[in-house]
Amino acid sequence: MKRPIKYKERFKQPIIFDGLQKGLVSPTDIDFCFEVDNKFLLLGDCKKDDAPFPLGQRLVIERIVDNWRATRKISVGVIATHSTSPEQSIVLANTVVTKIYYNGKWHKSNTVFTQFVKNIAEKFDVDKLKGLS
């Protein structure tokens, strides 16, 4: 099922964080999140090829995933990469998961996002993620 973006013009509008920084404290963004029935969380960010993974984003992903895990819920963080040009839309399903944060550690990967989701849905028996289209 293809769900359209509700407000396409607003979607293209960048959010500027000017005036919201003090030292190392500032807002960050996370590109995607799957939360299923308050039992499973997949949180991640997309990066162009080998773009840097800023410390602030890494810490946010780690802390959210760790806090979910501390409540005995399944939680995973990922970095997905792509080679999409700026004038094209990034299709998350076609990105490649290159880093996985699970059980307090980062692991390397090289799995197309759709296959990664299939694998994780099977591993953790998350029915609502099985057969995504």
Side-chain angles (χ1 to χ4, degrees), residues 31-124:
D31 289 331
F32 58 89
C33 177
F34 285 88
E35 186 279 328
V36 181
D37 296 332
N38 199 29
K39 295 176 185 171
F40 174 84
L41 179 74
L42 173 60
L43 186 67
D45 202 72
C46 289
K47 298 291 179 200
K48 171 90 165 92
D49 298 317
D50 291 327
F53 181 25
L55 176 63
Q57 277 188 324
R58 181 178 61 80
L59 291 174
V60 166
I61 289 172
E62 289 175 2
R63 290 171 180 168
I64 291 171
V65 168
D66 288 344
N67 278 295
W68 262 68
R69 189 170 57 98
T71 62
R72 307 231 186 271
K73 297 174 184 177
I74 301 163
S75 55
V76 180
V78 300
I79 296 299
T81 61
H82 65 90
S83 297
T84 311
S85 64
E87 61 276 354
Q88 295 177 307
S89 295
I90 299 163
V91 179
L92 182 59
N94 298 335
T95 63
V96 176
V97 174
T98 55
K99 294 179 181 149
I100 303 166
Y101 185 72
Y102 177 69
N103 270 346
K105 294 181 182 157
W106 284 98
H107 308 273
K108 290 183 180 181
S109 178
N110 188 25
T111 310
V112 174
F113 194 86
T114 50
Q115 186 60 52
F116 175 78
V117 173
K118 286 177 188 176
N119 295 348
I120 213 153
E122 288 298 322
K123 178 176 181 169
F124 297 114

Side-chain angles (χ1 to χ4, degrees), residues 15-30:
I15 298 172
I16 307 300
F17 298 148
D18 289 355
L20 297 171
Q21 182 172 350
K22 181 177 181 183
L24 295 176
V25 176
S26 67
T28 191
D29 70 309
I30 301 297

